[in-house]
Amino acid sequence: MAKRKVDTENRGFQTRWESEYMFTKVAGKPVCLLCGESVAVLKEYNLRRHYETKHADKNKNMDMEQRLQKAEELKRGLKSRQALFKKAKSQGQAAVKASFILAEEIAKSARPFTEGDFIKNCMIKVCDEVCPEKRQLFLNVSLSRNTIAERVDQLSINLKEQLVKKGKDFIAYSLAVDESTDISDIAQLSIFIRGVDSNLSVTEEFLALRPMHGTTTGHDLYEEVSRCVNEMELPWEKLVGLTTDGAPAMCGHRSGLVAKIREKMQEENATGELTAYHCIIHQEALCGKALKMEHVMSIITRTVNFIRAKGLNHRQFKAFLTELETEHGDLPYHTEVRWLSQGKVLQRCFELREEICLFLDSKGKDTTQLRDEMFLCEMAFLCDITSHLNAINLQLQGRDRVISDMYSTVKAFKTKLTLWETQMRKENLSHFPSCQTMKEKLSTSAFPSTQELLGNPFAVDVESSPPNLQMELIDLQCNDALRAKYAAVGAAEFARFLPGTMPQLRIQAAQTLSMFGSTYLCEQLFSLMNLNKTSHRSRLTAEHLHSILRISSAQSLTPNIDELVEKMGHHQVSPSTSNK
């Protein structure tokens, strides 16, 4: 005979059992109102046996009406206790969640962990004025330095777990790697990942920041990158691109990072070829230095330093400009690390060239060079061309940039350079306003050739394409619906609309989308690093710095705070703990 299953018998709780046996139903189980015990099987015999065995003597003198009243009183008491427990539980969870939220904001704003105590004191003072009856709820929110540090680490771990989970779906990914030194003279290796899944959705996130206390050779860099890739459980055969700043330790033919990773991929029997890129923005900045205009910039720098370096000169110069009622009231500084500052300094100096000469004359300085016509022409050209270089630099910066779009920008700039050169040979200075002011004929320098990537699949010559793509390219170029979709969404988004019947094109698109065009994200991370690890926080540990940067640089990932609160086991912080 088959064993009976209670769940299939559709047994229901009967209302009369409340007064007869003092039982009620809680979360699907019968619970005794007198002692709080529950009965495993919802069966009248079990309820009656429990009542007669343990509570028969207590209520034997009650009539039915009294028993009903007694049952209702006990039910109200039970509900009150349950509500109190739920309220305490929800308040505890809210306090923990609030501490996570504030820890995330502190990390994103580059504030020290001790700011939590300051924030809590402000919260308490506001509460005393606005809602003093809820003071205890605010006291329960733990924001001590140790708590904030622990919360930041937990948020970072949660983001890393999400990234690892996403990484399992990548069909292609690339890395951007750069190295810099922090305030404590510790070399920091920044690594970002850009991965594409089977739906051709791009994920671009911070992977790791690794401190390097010893040497920073190609082998050292490889060890850190390799360890990071293995920790994230990323398959080497899906690595398609590596973007660096072009330093010898990165790109050395024998012992550089690129060479070491290629050896590793061969060891792992990876069939794909690693494509190594020199950061496009870095290339553009290096090309800007090929203008051979150091003699002009050195004179400008000396002039600006004379005015800005001494407080008295600076104040007098600003007062001088105010008296002359000029459009600009000051000169900016120029620093070699900030590429865009050079254009701003040149533009301002050119616009204030007469006023600067007058001020220097009043100080007894020689202004012969600054008044020389050839020098002014060279400064005008340098001012205009630097302005154009800064414009392309800004176009190449930012997140979620597709490498094909970046190369299209560079290609367009090369075409502009050709046009400018032709126009300048004809004394047409319409795109060089400063040069037009000086009325002189100048020529530009050539822009170095760069690798051209496929940007428009409908304009590609099928015969010159790889054999494995030719048949699919013909199908694509003959599909009017896909051509219309390309015109509507553009090159960056079109890849997602490639049908599954074109697998080779989808793989090619995934590899292209996954590639970094620059190390901009690494440079941006170093700025965040310097903002967090200052001379006042030089003892910030590598682990905490790593956690802070993961939170503040997260793009498509957000910490799952509700999940973290759940993992805390509904922990409620006591007031004594929160005041430590």
Side-chain angles (χ1 to χ4, degrees):
M1 183 177 179
K3 187 176 180 180
R4 294 171 58 191
K5 292 185 178 180
V6 176
D7 294 340
T8 61
E9 295 181 1
N10 298 320
R11 294 175 180 173
F13 186 86
Q14 299 183 27
T15 307
R16 63 181 178 84
W17 293 346
E18 292 181 353
S19 57
E20 291 181 9
Y21 309 121
M22 293 297 168
F23 267 83
T24 189
K25 189 177 181 181
V26 178
K29 289 187 177 182
V31 176
C32 179
L33 292 170
L34 298 172
C35 65
E37 291 185 10
S38 61
V39 176
V41 180
L42 184 58
K43 192 175 179 182
E44 182 177 7
Y45 170 78
N46 294 337
L47 274 60
R48 183 173 62 250
R49 185 179 62 179
H50 174 90
Y51 176 76
E52 291 176 352
T53 303
K54 297 186 177 183
H55 310 297
D57 296 338
K58 295 180 182 180
N59 304 315
K60 62 182 179 180
N61 298 324
M62 291 184 181
D63 58 21
M64 184 56 64
E65 184 176 351
Q66 291 175 329
R67 293 169 71 89
L68 284 171
Q69 292 178 353
K70 178 70 172 178
E72 289 299 324
E73 290 178 6
L74 292 174
K75 282 173 64 178
R76 286 194 296 269
L78 177 62
K79 289 180 179 178
S80 176
R81 291 193 300 273
Q82 288 177 332
L84 183 63
F85 176 76
K86 288 180 180 179
K87 182 179 180 181
K89 180 181 178 182
S90 63
Q91 288 178 352
Q93 289 179 332
V96 174
K97 185 174 183 177
S99 68
F100 273 112
I101 293 172
L102 287 173
E104 183 181 8
E105 293 301 319
I106 288 173
K108 286 182 176 180
S109 60
R111 300 286 183 179
F113 296 152
T114 52
E115 288 287 295
D117 291 321
F118 171 73
I119 293 173
K120 183 170 183 177
N121 289 334
C122 293
M123 288 167 50
I124 298 301
K125 291 182 182 297
V126 171
C127 177
D128 289 340
E129 296 298 327
V130 178
C131 49
E133 71 280 1
K134 295 185 178 181
R135 192 173 195 272
Q136 187 59 49
L137 297 179
F138 287 87
L139 287 173
N140 289 343
V141 181
S142 179
L143 297 176
S144 64
R145 185 186 68 84
N146 290 338
T147 299
I148 295 298
E150 181 183 354
R151 296 287 189 265
V152 167
D153 287 340
Q154 290 173 316
L155 290 168
S156 175
I157 292 171
N158 181 262
L159 288 173
K160 182 179 179 181
E161 290 173 350
Q162 291 183 48
L163 185 58
V164 171
K165 185 177 180 180
K166 277 198 167 189
K168 295 182 185 300
D169 297 329
F170 290 162
I171 60 175
Y173 70 93
S174 294
L175 302 176
V177 183
D178 200 358
E179 180 259 331
S180 185
T181 305
D182 63 21
I183 192 69
S184 303
D185 290 330
I186 298 175
Q188 300 282 359
L189 185 66
S190 170
I191 309 172
F192 275 80
I193 184 172
R194 184 180 173 94
V196 180
D197 60 19
S198 57
N199 295 321
L200 299 184
S201 298
V202 180
T203 300
E204 186 178 80
E205 289 292 340
F206 167 71
L207 194 58
L209 182 75
R210 295 301 176 94
M212 306 186 69
H213 299 279
T215 58
T216 55
T217 63
H219 179 74
D220 299 323
L221 299 177
Y222 163 72
E223 288 294 330
E224 294 298 335
V225 173
S226 177
R227 187 178 299 114
C228 183
V229 171
N230 292 332
E231 286 178 0
M232 297 297 293
E233 301 177 11
L234 296 168
W236 287 98
E237 63 269 13
K238 294 182 181 179
L239 177 62
V240 298
L242 178 65
T243 302
T244 68
D245 61 356
M250 298 283 188
C251 300
H253 292 297
R254 294 184 178 179
S255 57
L257 173 63
V258 175
K260 292 289 185 181
I261 289 184
R262 280 176 173 158
E263 290 178 6
K264 176 65 176 178
M265 292 179 68
Q266 290 178 358
E267 293 176 4
E268 297 290 332
N269 297 321
T271 56
E273 177 67 23
L274 177 69
T275 304
Y277 285 98
H278 184 180
C279 170
I280 297 175
I281 299 178
H282 194 249
Q283 288 185 64
E284 182 269 337
L286 292 177
C287 292
K289 294 182 179 180
L291 294 173
K292 306 297 182 184
M293 288 285 184
E294 292 84 358
H295 60 290
V296 177
M297 201 62 213
S298 62
I299 295 174
I300 297 297
T301 303
R302 284 201 305 269
T303 302
V304 173
N305 287 344
F306 173 77
I307 296 173
R308 291 292 304 258
K310 293 184 179 180
L312 178 60
N313 288 347
H314 191 201
R315 291 193 299 272
Q316 290 176 342
F317 181 70
K318 290 196 292 184
F320 180 70
L321 294 180
T322 303
E323 290 177 7
L324 296 178
E325 297 181 352
T326 59
E327 181 181 355
H328 305 293
D330 201 1
L331 276 177
Y333 256 132
H334 163 55
T335 172
E336 188 70 17
V337 177
R338 299 181 183 272
W339 300 334
L340 301 182
S341 66
Q342 179 175 314
K344 296 177 182 178
V345 171
L346 283 168
Q347 186 67 36
R348 189 67 57 84
C349 285
F350 184 79
E351 293 172 354
L352 296 174
R353 59 191 181 281
E354 296 295 337
E355 291 81 1
I356 291 173
C357 289
L358 290 174
F359 179 76
L360 293 178
D361 287 339
S362 69
K363 290 291 184 178
K365 292 292 183 179
D366 183 17
T367 59
T368 304
Q369 286 181 311
L370 291 174
R371 295 182 186 275
D372 181 73
E373 188 179 48
M374 181 57 69
F375 171 81
L376 289 174
C377 291
E378 290 178 336
M379 184 172 88
F381 171 71
L382 186 59
C383 177
D384 288 334
I385 195 66
T386 303
S387 175
H388 290 307
L389 287 170
N390 284 353
I392 185 179
N393 193 295
L394 288 172
Q395 290 179 15
L396 294 172
Q397 292 184 23
R399 282 182 171 270
D400 299 323
R401 299 305 308 273
V402 180
I403 192 171
S404 58
D405 292 342
M406 298 178 72
Y407 271 101
S408 297
T409 302
V410 175
K411 182 180 178 180
F413 189 75
K414 290 171 61 180
T415 304
K416 292 177 184 178
L417 282 171
T418 304
L419 173 65
W420 294 337
E421 183 177 9
T422 303
Q423 290 178 338
M424 294 184 81
R425 291 187 186 279
K426 297 178 181 179
E427 300 186 16
N428 180 356
L429 304 175
S430 56
H431 297 288
F432 288 75
S434 300
C435 291
Q436 194 167 17
T437 303
M438 300 307 298
K439 306 290 185 181
E440 289 292 337
K441 176 184 175 182
L442 295 171
S443 61
T444 64
S445 59
F447 197 85
S449 61
T450 54
Q451 183 179 357
E452 185 175 337
L453 292 183
L454 181 62
N456 184 355
F458 294 95
V460 174
D461 180 18
V462 176
E463 290 186 13
S464 61
S465 302
N468 63 320
L469 300 178
Q470 290 177 352
M471 299 299 102
E472 294 182 8
L473 272 174
I474 293 174
D475 294 338
L476 176 66
Q477 294 178 356
C478 295
N479 191 314
D480 293 335
L482 290 176
R483 186 183 293 273
K485 179 63 71 174
Y486 176 84
V489 302
E493 294 294 327
F494 176 70
R496 298 183 182 179
F497 297 94
L498 288 173
T501 54
M502 300 179 183
Q504 295 300 321
L505 282 177
R506 288 179 64 87
I507 293 174
Q508 186 71 25
Q511 292 177 350
T512 302
L513 287 172
S514 72
M515 292 179 183
F516 281 100
S518 72
T519 56
Y520 167 80
L521 294 179
C522 298
E523 297 290 349
Q524 188 183 51
L525 187 80
F526 292 141
S527 297
L528 286 173
M529 176 187 73
N530 293 330
L531 193 61
N532 281 277
K533 193 169 183 180
T534 63
S535 57
H536 299 291
R537 299 181 73 192
S538 58
R539 297 181 65 185
L540 186 67
T541 65
E543 291 77 14
H544 286 154
L545 178 62
H546 186 277
S547 298
I548 291 170
L549 294 180
R550 185 179 292 280
I551 294 171
S552 56
S553 65
Q555 182 70 8
S556 60
L557 303 178
T558 54
N560 192 334
I561 294 178
D562 292 330
E563 179 184 335
L564 291 171
V565 172
E566 190 72 22
K567 287 183 178 180
M568 295 291 292
H570 315 298
H571 174 65
Q572 184 175 2
V573 184
S574 65
S576 60
T577 304
S578 63
N579 288 327
K580 288 184 180 179

